[in-house]
Amino acid sequence: MNGMMRKLLGRSVKKSMGRFLAIMIITMLGAAFFGGLMATEPAFIKTAQHFTEEYNLYDFRILSTYGIDEEDVAKVAALEETQTAVGSVYYDAIVETSDGELIVRVHSITEGVNELMLVEGRMPESTDECVIDSQYFTGAEIGDVITFSDENEEDTLKTLPGSYTVVGKVFSPLYMNTERGTTSIGNGKLASFMYVLPESLDFEYYTEMYISLQGEWEIYSDEYNAYVDALESLFEETATVTVYARYNDIVTDAEEELLDGERDYADGEQELLDGEQELLDGEQELEEQKAEGEQELAKAWAEIEDGRAQIWPARQELLDAEEELAVAKAQYEEGLAEYKEGFAEYEEGLEQALAGYDELINGESSLSAGWSQLQSAAAQLNEAWAQLEEGKAELDALEEIYDLCVSVRSYLDENPDILDILEYLESSEDGTVDLDTLLDMITDEELREALQEAFGQLQEQNGAETNSQLAVSVDEIRSWLEENLGDELNEILDFDLDVDSALSELLELFESEESGADVDSLLAIIELIGTEGLLGTIDSIIEQYESGLSAYESGLASYYEGKAAYEQGLAEYYAGESQLKSGWTEYFAGMQLLEEAKAQLEEAWTQLEDARAQIEDGEQQIADGWQQLRDAIQELLDGETAYEDGVEEFNELIAEAEEKLKEARQELDDGWAELMEARQELDDGWAELNDLEEPEIYILGRDTLVGYVC
């Protein structure tokens, strides 16, 4: 049997090999898929575990029909089991995008719970920025502005600002699958979501509270579900206590508001009763005003009759006053013409006086300037005289030197051999001189003969036959010169020489009492500066003195010319000063006459002004009189018109008062009706307060989140 079955099976397989292979492959794929699913489940759970922990998916979500406030959040957060408790707000709204309208849920961003995963861009930093669903928010990109449609409910538009700028795209742990939830607006289905900063929303209380529990639990595990179920009643009880406290506050506030309404109702009822009394008083007052008005109208008509009788006498008085005023005006015009003529003469004299004053002032300025110039010239003359005196003193000091230099120069010009002889004597090295050489140097015949005679005497004394055989010492020649020419040389050389050059030693020789200013002195000078230096010094002193004398004589002439000009200017100054004093005397005399004329003119003008004022007063009085007459006539006419208007107004006022009383009656009736409506509103308020339902608290876990369970 077994063998047969195997044979049949093998034959069947061979006949349908393709179907067999297909069945085998399908079986293998099914087994592989099942095995993959069994192996993938732990990986999926691990991924979900990591995501919920990283972005802090809530453990509990609390909703209340009375909303949630900060106190509710604080009490839940204070529980030992609570890790984080955060209040949150969301609104369903219709937004406008480039692709049309989109129904989205606007969430406030929470910290510590349901944190967002930023996919692109950045998180909001200001109240006009938002992040949007990275998957299903169509028609908007980063940088676009999202506005809200006017089709949104009024409360929604008040809560949300006008627009938001998209700054990023996010993934939210509240939306872990493709479903975005349902809503009560539009088509009932949410298309996407967006998140904004809490401070950008205007709300009084949170719409929900998210809670994250202490501890770490594996999602979807029985341990986690048991832990959550065990804590659900604790959080529900805590939230219920705080919500009920707010509920009691609401009831208390409503009762106080209704009691205030009851008091307002009582006040309104009293006001209406007071109004009824005022209406009765107004009707009585109207009757009294009717009688008083009729009496006043009769009195006004009597005054009109009296005014008519006073008009014509007043007109004649005004005509008489106009005739008197015409005479006064003619006298005023005549006096005014005389005043103008006198005033023109005064102005002409004043103009001439002012012109003379300007000339005198200019003369004062010119004299002052001239005096300053004279003072300056006097100072310059004094300075020039001091300089001349100084130059004269210098010339006097140099005059003696100059005279001596002239004498020396004249002597040397007359005796040119003297210097040559002296230089030759000085140049002797052995202290002796050759007499023939010395005689050859002398061109002056008298001096030559005198010296020849002296040499002859020396030859006889020494027994020499010729001059060349005679050895004469320099000292002997010098002695002979001093004996024969000493007086003349001493007279020439006996002077004090004052120069500023290199001749200081020359001066010391000449000024020294020991030197004696003899031939030796002259030889010493020649030895110091040479023959040419001596002649140059003498010529320089002569030139210096003669140049200084010429400059002094020229400066002295200039000084006397300046002094003559100064004395002439001084004479002209005193003459101008005398003319100026005479001019001022004439000016002040003329001004005195002008002042007297001015006083007379002012007195005349005062009289004219008084007359003009009287005329103007008269004209004004007459004008006022005519105006008063016209006013009186107009007043009479107005009085008649006013009387007629008064009668009409009186009748209108009576009718108006009667109408007001009628309106007051109607207002009171309306007030009673409004009071009855207020009574009804109070009754409805008490009924609504009695029917007020207690708050309901909803504790929702992750199992209500579609993306978590699916």
Side-chain angles (χ1 to χ4, degrees):
M1 184 68 178
N2 290 335
M4 184 61 70
M5 287 295 294
R6 284 195 295 272
K7 289 181 180 180
L8 290 173
L9 181 60
R11 190 179 294 115
S12 176
V13 169
K14 290 180 181 179
K15 288 182 180 179
S16 57
M17 181 61 71
R19 184 176 62 178
F20 176 77
L21 291 174
I23 292 172
M24 184 175 68
I25 292 172
I26 290 172
T27 303
M28 291 174 64
L29 288 174
F33 183 73
F34 178 75
L37 286 178
M38 294 299 292
T40 303
E41 179 183 3
F44 282 168
I45 293 175
K46 186 177 181 181
T47 300
Q49 177 81 25
H50 176 73
F51 180 79
T52 56
E53 288 178 356
E54 182 176 359
Y55 296 102
N56 298 319
L57 179 64
Y58 70 88
D59 293 301
F60 282 117
R61 178 187 179 207
I62 299 180
L63 302 174
S64 169
T65 55
Y66 280 82
I68 297 170
D69 59 14
E70 290 288 352
E71 185 178 356
D72 299 335
V73 176
K75 288 187 176 181
V76 172
L79 294 176
E80 183 180 354
E81 293 78 8
T82 301
Q83 178 177 337
T84 305
V86 179
S88 178
V89 182
Y90 73 86
Y91 294 93
D92 295 341
I94 303 172
V95 299
E96 296 179 349
T97 67
S98 59
D99 292 344
E101 293 184 343
L102 202 67
I103 300 175
V104 301
R105 178 159 291 174
V106 182
H107 290 274
S108 63
I109 297 174
T110 55
E111 295 183 3
V113 180
N114 304 330
E115 296 179 344
L116 302 176
M117 182 175 71
L118 186 64
V119 177
E120 184 180 354
R122 62 174 175 84
M123 297 298 290
E125 297 176 354
S126 62
T127 57
D128 59 349
E129 295 178 344
C130 71
V131 290
I132 60 174
D133 185 357
S134 63
Q135 294 179 300
Y136 299 108
F137 202 110
T138 60
E141 295 296 333
I142 294 177
D144 292 345
V145 177
I146 297 175
T147 58
F148 295 94
S149 173
D150 294 336
E151 298 178 7
N152 287 293
E153 296 179 358
E154 184 178 355
D155 291 341
T156 302
L157 293 175
K158 288 181 179 179
T159 302
L160 299 170
S163 63
Y164 287 103
T165 300
V166 178
V167 297
K169 294 184 178 182
V170 297
F171 186 84
S172 172
L174 298 180
Y175 301 93
M176 292 190 289
N177 63 355
T178 59
E179 290 294 327
R180 293 298 181 255
T182 59
T183 180
S184 60
I185 64 174
N187 59 9
K189 185 176 181 180
L190 291 172
S192 188
F193 64 86
M194 58 185 286
Y195 279 84
V196 299
L197 294 174
E199 51 265 28
S200 70
L201 301 173
D202 185 12
F203 60 91
E204 296 180 0
Y205 53 85
Y206 298 116
T207 57
E208 57 190 352
M209 183 197 311
Y210 289 107
I211 302 170
S212 176
L213 298 175
Q214 296 282 0
E216 296 182 359
W217 305 90
E218 183 179 347
I219 62 174
Y220 305 114
S221 66
D222 294 337
E223 292 83 358
Y224 174 74
N225 293 333
Y227 180 68
V228 170
D229 292 341
L231 293 179
E232 182 176 350
S233 59
L234 172 63
F235 285 103
E236 182 176 6
E237 179 182 351
T238 303
T240 300
V241 171
T242 58
V243 171
Y244 263 89
R246 188 167 63 261
Y247 165 75
N248 293 331
D249 292 340
I250 292 173
V251 171
T252 301
D253 293 342
E255 288 177 347
E256 291 180 358
E257 186 175 352
L258 288 171
L259 290 174
D260 290 341
E262 291 287 355
R263 286 188 287 271
D264 292 341
Y265 174 81
D267 294 340
E269 186 178 26
Q270 184 61 45
E271 288 179 2
L272 289 173
L273 292 174
D274 294 340
E276 291 286 352
Q277 184 60 45
E278 289 178 2
L279 182 60
L280 293 175
D281 295 341
E283 292 174 348
Q284 179 65 33
E285 184 179 357
L286 178 60
E287 292 299 325
E288 295 174 356
Q289 288 178 351
K290 276 185 180 180
E292 183 179 352
E294 291 173 352
Q295 183 178 358
E296 289 180 356
L297 287 173
K299 180 180 178 182
W301 182 253
E303 291 177 355
I304 290 172
E305 291 295 330
D306 292 340
R308 286 176 177 175
Q310 296 175 3
I311 287 176
W312 298 111
R315 179 176 179 276
Q316 186 58 46
E317 289 180 3
L318 289 172
L319 293 174
D320 295 340
E322 284 181 341
E323 291 180 0
E324 294 177 0
L325 184 63
V327 174
K329 288 178 71 174
Q331 293 175 351
Y332 170 78
E333 292 297 333
E334 182 179 354
L336 183 61
E338 293 177 357
Y339 171 80
K340 288 181 178 180
E341 182 179 355
F343 188 76
E345 293 177 356
Y346 168 77
E347 285 187 329
E348 181 179 357
L350 182 61
E351 183 177 357
Q352 293 175 357
L354 292 176
Y357 176 80
D358 292 339
E359 291 179 359
L360 290 171
I361 292 297
N362 292 333
E364 290 275 7
S365 299
S366 299
L367 277 177
S368 179
W371 179 252
S372 298
Q373 293 175 356
L374 288 172
Q375 292 294 107
S376 176
Q380 292 175 359
L381 285 173
N382 291 333
E383 183 179 357
W385 181 254
Q387 292 176 354
L388 287 172
E389 288 293 319
E390 183 179 352
K392 182 67 168 59
E394 292 177 356
L395 287 174
D396 290 344
L398 195 61
E399 184 177 5
E400 184 179 357
I401 299 172
Y402 167 76
D403 292 340
L404 184 58
C405 285
V406 170
S407 299
V408 171
R409 183 66 190 181
S410 177
Y411 175 81
L412 293 176
D413 288 341
E414 293 175 358
N415 301 280
D417 300 334
I418 295 299
L419 291 178
D420 294 338
I421 293 170
L422 295 176
E423 285 183 355
Y424 174 72
L425 293 177
E426 189 64 27
S427 63
S428 176
E429 295 180 355
D430 58 359
T432 61
V433 294
D434 182 47
L435 295 179
D436 291 334
T437 302
L438 184 61
L439 291 174
D440 291 339
M441 295 174 60
I442 299 173
T443 58
D444 184 88
E445 292 296 333
E446 293 182 0
L447 181 59
R448 182 182 180 89
E449 292 177 357
L451 188 57
Q452 182 66 46
E453 182 180 352
F455 286 169
Q457 294 175 0
L458 288 174
Q459 287 176 348
E460 292 178 359
Q461 293 175 2
N462 295 323
E465 297 179 357
T466 62
N467 292 337
S468 59
Q469 296 177 350
L470 180 63
V472 181
S473 66
V474 172
D475 293 336
E476 290 176 335
I477 297 299
R478 286 181 176 176
S479 298
W480 183 86
L481 289 174
E482 284 186 20
E483 292 176 358
N484 292 274
L485 301 177
D487 294 338
E488 189 172 5
L489 284 176
N490 289 340
E491 181 180 356
I492 293 174
L493 297 178
D494 189 13
F495 67 94
D496 293 329
L497 190 61
D498 184 12
V499 294
D500 296 329
S501 63
L503 297 178
S504 58
E505 293 192 18
L506 175 63
L507 291 177
E508 290 178 3
L509 289 173
F510 280 112
E511 292 175 354
S512 173
E513 295 181 357
E514 297 178 356
S515 63
D518 53 9
V519 175
D520 290 334
S521 299
L522 184 58
L523 291 175
I525 294 173
I526 293 172
E527 181 181 1
L528 178 65
I529 63 174
T531 304
E532 293 181 359
L534 177 63
L535 295 176
T537 301
I538 293 172
D539 292 342
S540 174
I541 293 172
I542 293 172
E543 182 181 355
Q544 178 183 352
Y545 178 82
E546 291 176 350
S547 175
L549 182 61
S550 176
Y552 171 76
E553 292 173 349
S554 175
L556 190 62
S558 298
Y559 169 78
Y560 284 115
E561 289 178 2
K563 184 177 180 182
Y566 168 76
E567 291 174 349
Q568 181 181 356
L570 191 63
E572 292 175 355
Y573 170 80
Y574 287 122
E577 185 180 33
S578 176
Q579 293 177 359
L580 187 63
K581 289 180 179 178
S582 176
W584 279 116
T585 301
E586 294 177 0
Y587 167 76
F588 287 120
M591 288 301 296
Q592 181 64 32
L593 294 175
L594 286 172
E595 287 296 324
E596 294 174 358
K598 181 180 179 183
Q600 294 174 357
L601 286 171
E602 288 176 350
E603 182 179 359
W605 178 253
T606 301
Q607 294 174 354
L608 286 171
E609 284 293 297
D610 293 341
R612 184 178 62 80
Q614 292 175 359
I615 291 171
E616 289 177 352
D617 290 342
E619 289 176 339
Q620 186 62 45
Q621 290 175 2
I622 292 173
D624 293 343
W626 282 113
Q627 185 61 43
Q628 290 173 2
L629 182 61
R630 286 191 292 271
D631 292 343
I633 295 173
Q634 185 63 44
E635 186 178 354
L636 183 61
L637 296 174
D638 293 342
E640 293 175 354
T641 303
Y643 174 78
E644 295 172 356
D645 294 339
V647 173
E648 183 179 356
E649 184 180 359
F650 175 74
N651 295 329
E652 290 176 355
L653 288 174
I654 296 300
E656 184 179 354
E658 292 174 347
E659 182 63 27
K660 286 183 178 180
L661 289 173
K662 183 179 178 181
E663 291 175 356
R665 176 75 270 166
Q666 184 61 45
E667 289 179 0
L668 284 172
D669 293 340
D670 294 341
W672 285 113
E674 291 177 0
L675 190 63
M676 296 306 296
E677 291 178 1
R679 178 70 269 167
Q680 184 61 44
E681 289 179 359
L682 286 171
D683 294 340
D684 293 342
W686 287 112
E688 184 178 351
L689 182 60
N690 293 329
D691 296 338
L692 185 65
E693 296 181 358
E694 295 183 355
E696 295 183 5
I697 307 297
Y698 301 97
I699 307 295
L700 305 178
R702 292 178 177 177
D703 55 356
T704 61
L705 185 62
V706 177
Y708 180 83
V709 298
C710 296

